[in-house]
Amino acid sequence: MRYSRSPNPLVRWTLGKKLERMASRADFVIVANKFLQSWAEDAGATSVTCIPTVVDLRRYPQTALPAPEPFTIGWIGTPETAPYLDTIKGALKQVLAKENTQLLLVGAEPSFLPLPNVETQSWSEAREANLLQRMHVGIMPLPQGAWEYGKSGYKLVQYMAASRPVVASPVGVNCDVAKEGVNGFFAITEEEWVANLERFRGNTNLTSALGAAARQTVEASFSLRATVPKIAEILLSAAALRRPSQRKLARSSFKPDLARSAASNDVAPSR
């Protein structure tokens, strides 16, 4: 079920109650982060496994960084998530005031920041990988809120799969995906956003090093290769529940932590 962010509190409350009932009656529940895991457990789910949102790395070929100029900051999303950019508009204006700087927005409306060095592109699955390759650094600003804590950090995973470092708000699952000084930086204040974005301007060595670490993070924890074994084990356990004699055994013996490692030799590598 796709739970859209309806502005109607009654609709959101009703959908929330329906999801709680579904979780409480399910034999197995898969969630994308620890916040949702707590929600499912509080709803009465008896077996909850946290498996992050992942990407197929074959869709994100590793490419060289673009030319140092223009220094390109990138964001990818939808018109629904574009308002998050408002939280750092002041910082973006400061960075964009410098020469040879560009903001590439994929999936946002052109009216967000009508400046000559702001480029907006409509999103499409066929073009997103190429657009990510045009960026030097990807951003994911988020405010503090229950809805935001339920997000899965997909933007960060995409930037990092494309070997690009990130600057993000330390909110929710962002803290599990990005690692300070390893594959990116966190920022809260306007000053922190400006300073951390400027770290990458013309600094090819830092951008390449953190970008390579970002790719390694995705390969290890946020790729199909890393998660398919766990998902397969859950599905096999769920299928066993169709056999009455196996129902009790399947639920009692299922241990997500014992799923095969993503590094196992019998798991096909991502390309």
Side-chain angles (χ1 to χ4, degrees):
M1 177 185 293
R2 183 175 177 82
Y3 181 13
S4 62
R5 191 176 187 180
S6 168
N8 186 327
L10 179 60
V11 172
R12 293 180 63 185
W13 181 85
T14 302
L15 285 172
K17 290 299 180 183
K18 287 183 178 180
L19 290 173
E20 287 177 358
R21 287 196 295 272
M22 290 173 61
S24 67
R25 297 172 183 175
D27 293 303
F28 301 103
V29 175
I30 299 175
V31 296
N33 60 53
K34 297 172 184 175
F35 178 82
L36 295 177
Q37 182 173 356
S38 295
W39 167 84
E41 290 171 347
D42 290 343
T46 56
S47 182
V48 186
T49 305
C50 184
I51 298 179
T53 296
V54 301
V55 295
D56 182 351
L57 285 173
R58 293 172 297 183
R59 296 192 59 251
Y60 298 85
Q62 297 185 72
T63 59
L65 289 171
E69 294 182 349
F71 171 51
T72 303
I73 301 163
W75 178 89
I76 187 168
T78 66
E80 185 181 43
T81 57
Y84 291 137
L85 290 166
D86 284 323
T87 63
I88 61 166
K89 183 177 283 189
L92 292 175
K93 285 183 176 180
Q94 286 191 52
V95 177
L96 289 168
K98 296 188 177 182
E99 293 184 357
N100 295 314
T101 308
Q102 183 181 46
L103 176 62
L104 174 59
L105 302 177
V106 181
E109 297 294 336
S111 59
F112 162 69
L113 200 58
L115 297 173
N117 52 345
V118 176
E119 178 184 351
T120 58
Q121 291 282 346
S122 59
W123 176 88
S124 75
E125 185 176 9
R127 300 171 60 235
E128 65 177 356
N130 290 334
L131 291 169
L132 288 167
Q133 291 167 6
R134 293 178 50 192
M135 305 171 184
H136 291 100
V137 56
I139 59 174
M140 187 171 177
L142 284 178
Q144 294 277 354
W147 181 270
E148 286 68 38
Y149 273 86
K151 296 180 72 65
S152 60
Y154 188 57
K155 292 180 181 63
L156 293 186
V157 175
Q158 285 192 291
Y159 303 138
M160 293 163 60
S163 300
R164 298 300 184 261
V166 299
V167 178
S169 301
V171 173
V173 77
N174 284 9
C175 299
D176 297 324
V177 180
K179 301 299 179 185
E180 180 77 12
V182 176
N183 51 35
F185 298 99
F186 291 117
I188 298 175
T189 66
E190 184 172 303
E191 292 74 18
E192 289 173 345
W193 274 99
V194 172
N196 285 328
L197 288 172
E198 289 292 344
R199 289 175 186 262
F200 299 104
R201 185 188 295 274
N203 194 337
T204 303
N205 290 337
L206 179 67
T207 305
S208 296
L210 269 64
R215 173 77 179 202
Q216 291 172 3
T217 298
V218 175
E219 290 175 349
S221 303
F222 301 95
S223 65
L224 285 177
R225 177 183 178 183
T227 57
V228 162
K230 285 186 177 182
I231 295 173
E233 184 171 348
I234 293 172
L235 294 177
L236 288 171
S237 297
L241 295 179
R242 284 185 167 273
R243 299 193 294 273
S245 62
Q246 298 294 320
R247 186 177 182 87
K248 185 175 180 179
L249 176 63
R251 293 190 66 169
S252 63
S253 64
F254 177 66
K255 296 181 177 61
D257 292 341
L258 298 182
R260 290 176 298 168
S261 166
S264 173
N265 291 333
D266 57 356
V267 179
S270 298
R271 292 185 173 85

